Amino acid sequence: MFSFCRSSFLIVLLCSQLIWNCSKSLEKSLDDWIQVTEKADSISMDELARLCFKHSYRLSEWGADKNTLYVEYGGASALTFSSKETYIPSILLDLARKAYRTYATGSKKGLAELRVSLVKPYYVKNETNPETEIQEFEVYRISIDPVIWSKVNSDKPIDPFETDENDIPIGKFLERLEILMKEWKVELNELKRVQVQ
């Protein structure tokens, strides 16, 4: 029994350390990006999107005429381990965390507007085909511009990496993300149609 408890503790400790190190490595990667990027262009903005959205990144487009970055991201699985109550709030908090870091970093090099689309696979059962199939849908799209950003960051700067051991935002960072989620412009919201079972 002691051996099992000790092994379990070590596994939890190792996982927490890995998550913490990933957050720190992202922070260093973004600092490095700021140092080497002279100005916003399609290559540097794509690299920024890949850094901030990590494995969920799908594509990005840079509109140089208006300094707009469009990012599409999403999951690869229709499965979720979230409950009905936590599914949408956890998706929106994750979006806010990624969008905040992207805008905070990119705006230092000329990013004016950030548009983000969430595309996810879902199980679909329609009337013509009783078999359930998986299809991808754009379910949420937001935009952030300088006016919105000034409302979110009216106070002194905060640490956009203030998270717990599971990389969940806490403290002042969480407070800013809550403001961001209230202020960002929602261009598409189909999350209300998603049923978690």
Side-chain angles (χ1 to χ4, degrees):
M1 178 70 170
F2 175 74
S3 147
F4 174 75
C5 290
R6 186 172 147 222
S7 297
S8 297
F9 173 75
L10 289 174
I11 290 171
V12 169
L13 184 64
L14 179 64
C15 289
S16 297
Q17 187 66 31
L18 285 172
I19 291 170
W20 186 80
N21 285 339
C22 287
S23 180
K24 290 300 173 191
S25 67
L26 174 60
E27 184 174 6
K28 183 178 178 345
S29 296
L30 292 178
D31 287 342
D32 291 346
W33 183 89
I34 290 170
Q35 297 300 319
V36 300
T37 303
E38 292 181 23
K39 64 179 180 116
D41 61 26
S42 61
I43 294 171
S44 64
M45 286 294 147
D46 183 67
E47 181 183 355
L48 175 63
R50 288 176 188 273
L51 287 171
C52 292
F53 286 85
K54 299 181 187 175
H55 64 277
S56 61
Y57 167 89
R58 289 176 174 230
L59 66 90
S60 71
E61 294 177 14
W62 174 245
D65 56 330
K66 295 184 180 180
N67 288 359
T68 300
L69 176 62
Y70 171 77
V71 178
E72 182 178 293
Y73 84 107
S77 173
L79 297 176
T80 181
F81 295 102
S82 298
S83 67
K84 289 179 182 180
E85 295 77 27
T86 62
Y87 181 72
I88 292 175
S90 66
I91 284 178
L92 295 180
L93 184 61
D94 182 58
L95 169 57
R97 179 173 52 95
K98 291 172 179 173
Y100 187 98
R101 290 174 179 167
T102 304
Y103 199 93
T105 305
S107 63
K108 294 175 182 173
K109 297 297 178 178
L111 174 64
E113 182 180 15
L114 174 66
R115 297 180 71 222
V116 182
S117 288
L118 172 60
V119 178
K120 291 189 64 69
Y122 288 103
Y123 291 103
V124 177
K125 190 174 191 176
N126 58 41
E127 296 170 10
T128 59
N129 183 6
E131 296 294 317
T132 302
E133 60 182 344
I134 297 176
Q135 295 179 9
E136 287 192 346
F137 297 95
E138 180 185 20
V139 292
Y140 204 76
R141 186 182 334 115
I142 58 108
S143 64
I144 303 168
D145 61 27
V147 173
I148 292 169
W149 190 245
S150 67
K151 292 177 185 176
V152 173
N153 282 304
S154 58
D155 294 337
K156 61 184 179 179
I158 54 123
D159 176 11
F161 294 93
E162 184 181 6
T163 59
D164 66 12
E165 63 277 357
N166 296 314
D167 203 28
I168 305 296
I170 58 173
K172 294 287 184 191
F173 184 36
L174 178 60
E175 291 173 15
R176 290 284 171 91
L177 295 183
E178 289 170 346
I179 296 169
L180 178 60
M181 289 186 285
K182 288 178 187 168
E183 296 294 335
W184 64 27
K185 180 180 176 189
V186 177
E187 297 177 354
L188 175 71
N189 184 359
E190 295 294 330
L191 286 171
K192 58 191 170 290
R193 297 179 59 194
V194 175
Q195 295 180 2
V196 178
Q197 296 179 351

